[in-house]
Amino acid sequence: VAVWVGGLLLTPTLGWAMCPPSCPIPGGGTVKQDCHAEFATTAMRLNYPAFNPAKPKPGKEVRCFDGDAGCDLDGTVNNQCQFDIDVCLHNADPALPTCTPADVTAVTVSSAAKDPDLGALQTAVSALLPASTNTCTAGQSVRVLLKGPNKSGQFKLASKTVSLKARTAKGTDSDKVKLTCVPHGWPSHGYNHANHRAKLDETRLSPTNAANLVVKWNTPFSEAGSNGVTSTPTVGDGIVYVTSWNGKLYALRASTGKLKWSFDTGSGTQLGVQSSATLTADGRVLIGDSRGNVYCLQASNGKLLWTASVASTDVAGSHIWDSPVVANGRVFVGQASHSDVPCVQGHLYAFDLDTGTELWRYATVPDKVCSNNTSITCTTDSDCGAGTCVAGQGAGVTASVAIDPTGDTVYMATVGCYTYPSIGSSESFFSFNAATGAVNWKYRTQPPQQFGTPPYHDYGFLNGPLLIQADDGGGGTRPLLVGGSKDGTLYAVDPSNGSPVWTNPLMPPPSFAGFGLFNGAIGYADHTLYAALYDGGGNWPDGNPHLYAFRDKDGATLWSTQIGASWGSMAVANGLLFVGTLTQTQVCSNNPTATCTVDGDCSGGTCVSRPFYYVYDASSGTQLKAFPMPDLVSSGASIVDGTVYVGYGIFGSTGGVQAFALP
């Protein structure tokens, strides 16, 4: 039976050992003794120090973010990691050919008397003795609590070593594994693998003190040309990682905003980088660029580890808009077009985290379809009767995928293309097997189209779907997969089979969506979904509200307010809502908190237009703070240890990062 813990779904496969034939963590004993006792686990592996393909060396410990999918069994950010650790005895492991299993007569787990989890492991492995054939414990785990909090409320990484000795007539097998829990920070665009964009463990900021926030530092990017920041800054280990339309990734010190290092993808001559950086617990950082390249770097110094590409199917027009998502040693990245002129054939790719080797890819539309009937796939014109066989295009993946807590299932959404009819699996939700790329199910939100006169309707999902635990209306909860479409509708489906559960159509679908109504990433906390709206292809008047809160049970609107048209990605933390807007406000140059219409309203100052960034009470929609910004903001904020980090600058404007904190 699947269960929900901390708002995330845990399936029965989590916590059952994957061994034999080979165990992922033998334990480091001598090669002639190591098969007598090995550590078995579902997904964990020795991942630190991070693997370097140029200088391959085995890892020495397991590192896991608090709450990480496929790694932390409790499935939530709670200042501790629960590691899946079982033990297999008497195993003829093919990876240890010089070791012949012997009967195991005794096993001692160190510190079993002091640590309840290690005590439970000792009890479980003792029950297997004597072991004259292969046998394994099941369902054992070890918790590692983060250190802290310190005076600033911060938690630090912590480690625990599991050591055991297995005695046989052929000798003693001494094994150990080091388990390290790493504070979650804000390691990815979606904050967690469910794309909630909500820092629920934030304690320093709240609705009672948000009005006191001040600018901590501001770091503008001085390079010439377009250097706006529309991605979400990611934060870990005291470093802020931020990408820019100038093609660079910057690593800034979180305390001061000073540059530590930068990496140039060389894509600034095209459109640069819109993908948020993604951090791994073992010390890597990944980004995708506008040329369809994926880069894996050492987070400490920016050294390139490997490069991969999603442009193999369409070199000229491929673009990575979504942010890489990492789970169970796999990197998931989507492929879309620059600007739909022309479209490309959309794909989802999976790469190996250590080497960048492509594991699988999935094409979202057929390679070729008939011009007179787009539902017919073809290889030659003869397959189409009176029509012709043309290349399939569209259904790009601009939305970062969501992943279930086990790391075994990937959820994806696709978007349309205004220069090509909506065919195949455009404007759809998907569920995939993460290991193989096999489709579990897919759900199309709008009917397909035939060739005609463009522009086509271009619906779909620009930002990632959210996995949530929603109120079921009967005192319990139910899992949902939720996304806001450019067509003006908020959709919720059952993540087990893709069947629709509810919709909230804010407006009728336009004939052409353009950037659409739902553009920036949605946030989720406390059974509430939050979204900033754009214009719905011109069908959402400027006078309509552009900031919304929706009930997760049925999608009903809880409150709405006006911030002007926005591409902003939401961020939520401890009852606070953070969002930017494309609309500038007229304020006095000598007092940016005073609004005006003419210079005469400003007592010696001038009336100027300024962009602002807003903080709201998430429960009521009351505005608590408005920050004047150097430029327009569509970047999503990240909130870590009482500090808010947000990018600014759109398209050709001057970009940078600004940090806010309490004085």
Side-chain angles (χ1 to χ4, degrees), residues 128-309:
L128 304 178
L129 301 174
S132 56
T133 59
N134 178 244
T135 184
C136 303
T137 66
Q140 299 302 306
S141 62
V142 173
R143 288 167 292 181
V144 179
L145 277 62
L146 294 173
K147 296 177 182 178
N150 60 18
K151 293 181 180 180
S152 300
Q154 297 172 322
F155 286 84
K156 301 295 183 181
L157 64 79
S159 300
K160 182 182 291 186
T161 298
V162 181
S163 300
L164 57 85
K165 291 184 177 181
R167 284 182 277 280
T168 75
K170 292 185 177 181
T172 299
D173 180 13
S174 298
D175 296 314
K176 64 180 180 180
V177 60
K178 185 177 181 180
L179 308 174
T180 299
C181 186
V182 181
H184 193 83
W186 195 291
S188 64
H189 170 76
Y191 174 72
N192 58 15
H193 285 86
N195 283 330
H196 289 178
R197 298 190 58 83
K199 183 89 171 153
L200 300 184
D201 62 341
E202 171 60 37
T203 57
R204 301 186 69 188
L205 302 181
S206 71
T208 61
N209 61 23
N212 299 324
L213 283 164
V214 297
V215 176
K216 182 177 181 180
W217 52 257
N218 176 49
T219 301
F221 298 146
S222 58
E223 290 85 353
S226 177
N227 55 24
V229 175
T230 55
S231 59
T232 296
T234 50
V235 185
D237 197 24
I239 303 296
V240 180
Y241 300 88
V242 61
T243 63
S244 169
W245 285 60
N246 63 20
K248 291 187 177 182
L249 168 65
Y250 298 89
L252 309 176
R253 298 189 186 278
S255 57
T256 64
K258 299 296 184 183
L259 178 68
K260 183 177 182 182
W261 56 259
S262 65
F263 175 81
D264 192 350
T265 66
S267 61
T269 56
Q270 291 181 274
L271 288 175
V273 182
Q274 292 74 45
S275 161
S276 299
T278 299
L279 304 177
T280 64
D282 51 52
R284 288 175 273 200
V285 58
L286 297 104
I287 56 171
D289 73 4
S290 56
R291 299 181 302 176
N293 293 324
V294 184
Y295 303 88
C296 181
L297 314 170
Q298 287 185 353
S300 61
N301 57 20
K303 181 179 179 180
L304 181 65
L305 297 175
W306 55 258
T307 304
S309 177

Side-chain angles (χ1 to χ4, degrees), residues 273-653:
V273 182
Q274 292 74 45
S275 161
S276 299
T278 299
L279 304 177
T280 64
D282 51 52
R284 288 175 273 200
V285 58
L286 297 104
I287 56 171
D289 73 4
S290 56
R291 299 181 302 176
N293 293 324
V294 184
Y295 303 88
C296 181
L297 314 170
Q298 287 185 353
S300 61
N301 57 20
K303 181 179 179 180
L304 181 65
L305 297 175
W306 55 258
T307 304
S309 177
V310 304
S312 56
T313 55
D314 193 325
V315 175
S318 292
H319 191 128
I320 296 174
W321 293 96
D322 65 320
S323 301
V325 177
V326 178
N328 288 355
R330 306 181 189 101
V331 182
F332 301 95
V333 180
Q335 177 188 26
S337 68
H338 282 313
S339 58
D340 292 354
V341 186
C343 289
V344 301
Q345 182 188 37
H347 284 81
L348 179 66
Y349 282 76
F351 298 102
D352 182 86
L353 174 60
D354 283 343
T355 64
T357 302
E358 182 182 320
L359 301 176
W360 54 261
R361 71 175 74 168
Y362 177 83
T364 56
V365 298
D367 290 339
K368 292 184 177 182
V369 297
C370 292
S371 62
N372 56 337
N373 188 343
T374 59
S375 66
I376 300 176
T377 60
C378 57
T379 54
T380 66
D381 290 350
S382 62
D383 297 326
C384 300
T388 56
C389 189
V390 297
Q393 297 178 9
V397 181
T398 65
S400 297
V401 301
I403 299 182
D404 82 315
T406 68
D408 295 334
T409 304
V410 177
Y411 299 94
M412 184 188 77
T414 58
V415 72
C417 168
Y418 78 90
T419 61
Y420 200 93
S422 175
I423 67 169
S425 299
S426 185
E427 303 150 6
S428 299
F429 286 133
F430 290 79
S431 170
F432 293 95
N433 180 299
T436 66
V439 175
N440 299 320
W441 57 259
K442 53 187 174 181
Y443 168 69
R444 210 181 202 284
T445 59
Q446 294 284 352
Q449 290 182 298
Q450 299 296 329
F451 280 96
T453 303
Y456 297 97
H457 53 49
D458 184 22
Y459 301 148
F461 304 89
L462 287 172
N463 269 285
L466 293 83
L467 270 173
I468 68 172
Q469 182 190 13
D471 181 357
D472 66 1
T477 59
R478 65 171 303 168
L480 293 177
L481 186 71
V482 180
S485 173
K486 295 167 66 178
D487 68 13
T489 295
L490 190 64
Y491 293 90
V493 302
D494 186 326
S496 67
N497 56 26
S499 60
V501 176
W502 56 253
T503 61
N504 183 349
L506 295 186
M507 67 178 196
S511 58
F512 167 57
F515 286 107
L517 191 63
F518 290 90
N519 191 297
I522 295 171
Y524 177 73
D526 300 320
H527 291 293
T528 306
L529 297 148
Y530 302 95
L533 308 182
Y534 185 49
D535 70 358
N539 287 5
W540 194 257
D542 291 343
N544 283 7
H546 283 79
L547 181 62
Y548 271 76
F550 304 98
R551 186 169 58 196
D552 68 357
K553 180 178 71 174
D554 52 13
T557 299
L558 296 175
W559 57 257
S560 63
T561 191
Q562 182 60 280
I563 59 170
S566 175
W567 291 337
S569 290
M570 309 304 303
V572 191
N574 195 26
L576 296 173
L577 192 64
F578 301 83
V579 65
T581 177
L582 301 178
T583 302
Q584 300 195 50
T585 302
Q586 287 187 290
V587 297
C588 294
S589 60
N590 54 347
N591 182 6
T593 63
T595 59
C596 59
T597 55
V598 295
D599 292 348
D601 297 330
C602 295
S603 301
T606 56
C607 190
V608 296
S609 293
R610 291 288 301 273
F612 279 79
Y613 191 71
Y614 298 108
V615 186
Y616 283 84
D617 184 307
S619 63
S620 65
T622 302
Q623 187 182 121
L624 302 175
K625 186 76 174 184
F627 291 103
M629 296 293 293
D631 213 307
L632 294 172
V633 177
S634 67
S635 166
S638 55
I639 302 96
V640 178
D641 296 330
T643 301
V644 182
Y645 306 91
V646 65
Y648 56 83
I650 297 176
F651 300 139
S653 56

